[in-house]
Amino acid sequence: MEASRKKNSIWGILSVAALFLVGKLKWLLPFLKFLKLKTLISMLIFLGTYAALYGWKFAVALVYLIFVHECGHLYAARKLNIPTSPAIFIPFMGAVVGTKKQPKNAKEEAFIAYMGPLFGLLAFLPAVPLYMFTKDSFWALVIVLGSILNLFNLIPITPLDGGRIVSAISTKLWGLGLILLLVFAIWSQSFLAFVMMFLGLFQWSSIRKIQKNISDDRKRVIEYQEMLASLKNIAETSTYEHLQYFAKSLEKNLKEERELLETLDILNDEQEHEKEMSEEERERTREQKKQAFISGFEREVENIHKRVEQTASYYQTDGKTKLFTFLIYFGLAAVLGISSYLSFSLLPPALE
């Protein structure tokens, strides 16, 4: 009887708190925007799938924890003015919030990734006093699931959040993540863990390949800059036909750069009406084409240069950032690890 009264009082407190939050609606607007139609539909499918397999308590707890976790990523992306797509819940996979613009560097990416597990921790902390007060197995489930899910997400390998966080320290830590994920996959015999491991291996291999090619990419940029200098010199000192001929000779060296190749079309695109122009008009048109071509070629060379340098510097962070990321990452992992260890004994053998 006493336990029943305690449960009723807790739900009463939660109801009052919910009404208070609704009254302060402006605080909820970012999260209400998060609940778009695609999110709601996928969330209901996700909820129904897990309710059918494991019961409604497990399903509700899981959806709540994943939702708050994804809200962390959403919050971080919004803080950095990075637009996001609606969250999509995928049964047996979790949920994903896509970004419509890439972070500027690994530091920003780590911030977005870190907010997920941090919000995940905050999501289940209120369940600790609620369980202590009520001894309700539902709150124990929330604590255990929240601890384990977010700790697993901190394994340092992409596509998990841990891999994106430690990229601000060193991508070499992804090797440790692969080992940990392999051990977990074998121990748990989880097909999903094996899939994540191979995805992480593929991503790590791709990043390492890109980083190794930076030197060649920079040499390629220098070649394009030398081409630009030659084109400018010919445009200023020689004939339009000479410029056309030289530009056409560059085509074989620009096969990998579609944007640069497209600028060559400016010179080669001769309209029918140009044949009927007077010599003066034709020269004026050709001069305009030369200027447009040189400007376009220069702009694309600069864009390629920026992309190469952004790629080269993406995972470069200063010592202060590395140390700070290390401390907050392992600090959060330690808290979630201790929580997982201590809370697992709270969970009864089966939930109704």
Side-chain angles (χ1 to χ4, degrees), residues 93-150:
M93 293 291 288
V96 61
V97 173
T99 54
K100 297 179 181 179
K101 185 176 74 173
Q102 187 177 350
K104 294 178 183 176
N105 47 52
K107 183 178 178 180
E108 286 192 355
E109 185 175 355
F111 174 66
I112 295 173
Y114 187 81
M115 285 298 111
L118 180 61
F119 270 50
L121 170 64
L122 298 177
F124 73 80
L125 281 183
V128 176
L130 287 170
Y131 173 77
M132 293 173 66
F133 190 68
T134 66
K135 301 302 179 183
D136 190 328
S137 59
F138 176 77
W139 302 119
L141 177 63
V142 171
I143 297 168
V144 174
L145 271 180
S147 301
I148 293 174
L149 285 175
N150 288 287

Side-chain angles (χ1 to χ4, degrees), residues 241-258:
E241 287 77 10
H242 185 191
L243 180 62
Q244 274 185 312
Y245 177 79
F246 183 75
K248 190 169 182 61
S249 70
L250 300 177
E251 287 184 2
K252 60 182 179 181
N253 298 321
L254 300 176
K255 289 181 180 179
E256 296 181 4
E257 303 295 347
R258 182 176 56 83

Side-chain angles (χ1 to χ4, degrees), residues 180-216:
L180 292 174
L181 199 53
L182 176 61
V183 171
F184 175 80
I186 294 172
W187 174 76
S188 64
Q189 296 184 342
S190 169
F191 174 74
L192 180 59
F194 279 109
V195 170
M196 287 187 175
M197 187 188 72
F198 283 111
L199 286 174
L201 182 62
F202 175 77
Q203 177 116 13
W204 190 25
S205 174
S206 298
I207 294 297
R208 286 180 63 83
K209 183 178 179 181
I210 290 172
Q211 290 176 329
K212 286 181 178 180
N213 289 341
I214 289 297
S215 178
D216 291 337

Side-chain angles (χ1 to χ4, degrees), residues 65-307:
L65 290 166
I66 291 176
F67 175 72
V68 177
H69 178 105
E70 295 304 323
C71 281
H73 296 315
L74 174 72
Y75 166 79
R78 294 283 173 85
K79 288 287 285 185
L80 296 173
N81 295 317
I82 296 176
T84 59
S85 61
I88 301 297
F89 283 76
I90 307 170
F92 311 111
M93 293 291 288
V96 61
V97 173
T99 54
K100 297 179 181 179
K101 185 176 74 173
Q102 187 177 350
K104 294 178 183 176
N105 47 52
K107 183 178 178 180
E108 286 192 355
E109 185 175 355
F111 174 66
I112 295 173
Y114 187 81
M115 285 298 111
L118 180 61
F119 270 50
L121 170 64
L122 298 177
F124 73 80
L125 281 183
V128 176
L130 287 170
Y131 173 77
M132 293 173 66
F133 190 68
T134 66
K135 301 302 179 183
D136 190 328
S137 59
F138 176 77
W139 302 119
L141 177 63
V142 171
I143 297 168
V144 174
L145 271 180
S147 301
I148 293 174
L149 285 175
N150 288 287
L151 180 62
F152 176 79
N153 226 315
L154 284 180
I155 293 176
I157 184 65
T158 55
L160 298 176
D161 291 331
R164 295 160 60 204
I165 296 170
V166 302
S167 67
I169 305 172
S170 172
T171 55
K172 292 178 180 179
L173 288 171
W174 290 354
L176 172 62
L178 280 172
I179 295 171
L180 292 174
L181 199 53
L182 176 61
V183 171
F184 175 80
I186 294 172
W187 174 76
S188 64
Q189 296 184 342
S190 169
F191 174 74
L192 180 59
F194 279 109
V195 170
M196 287 187 175
M197 187 188 72
F198 283 111
L199 286 174
L201 182 62
F202 175 77
Q203 177 116 13
W204 190 25
S205 174
S206 298
I207 294 297
R208 286 180 63 83
K209 183 178 179 181
I210 290 172
Q211 290 176 329
K212 286 181 178 180
N213 289 341
I214 289 297
S215 178
D216 291 337
D217 291 338
R218 282 175 167 158
K219 290 178 182 177
R220 189 161 45 87
V221 169
I222 292 173
E223 290 177 5
Y224 297 154
Q225 290 171 336
E226 290 173 349
M227 289 179 191
L228 176 62
S230 298
L231 288 167
K232 282 183 175 181
N233 182 55
I234 293 172
E236 291 174 1
T237 60
S238 192
T239 63
Y240 184 82
E241 287 77 10
H242 185 191
L243 180 62
Q244 274 185 312
Y245 177 79
F246 183 75
K248 190 169 182 61
S249 70
L250 300 177
E251 287 184 2
K252 60 182 179 181
N253 298 321
L254 300 176
K255 289 181 180 179
E256 296 181 4
E257 303 295 347
R258 182 176 56 83
E259 293 85 356
L260 284 177
L261 273 173
E262 288 177 354
T263 62
L264 302 184
D265 294 337
I266 298 174
L267 293 177
N268 299 325
D269 183 23
E270 186 173 358
Q271 302 295 328
E272 190 65 31
H273 70 274
E274 291 183 34
K275 298 177 181 179
E276 301 174 0
M277 290 180 178
S278 65
E279 190 65 29
E280 185 179 345
E281 289 174 327
R282 189 179 295 112
E283 285 300 317
R284 188 163 53 246
T285 300
R286 286 183 169 185
E287 185 61 30
Q288 291 171 349
K289 283 186 175 182
K290 282 199 298 186
Q291 294 301 323
F293 165 65
I294 295 297
S295 297
F297 197 93
E298 186 171 23
R299 181 175 60 252
E300 294 304 330
V301 169
E302 184 58 29
N303 288 339
I304 294 168
H305 183 212
K306 285 180 180 178
R307 286 200 299 270

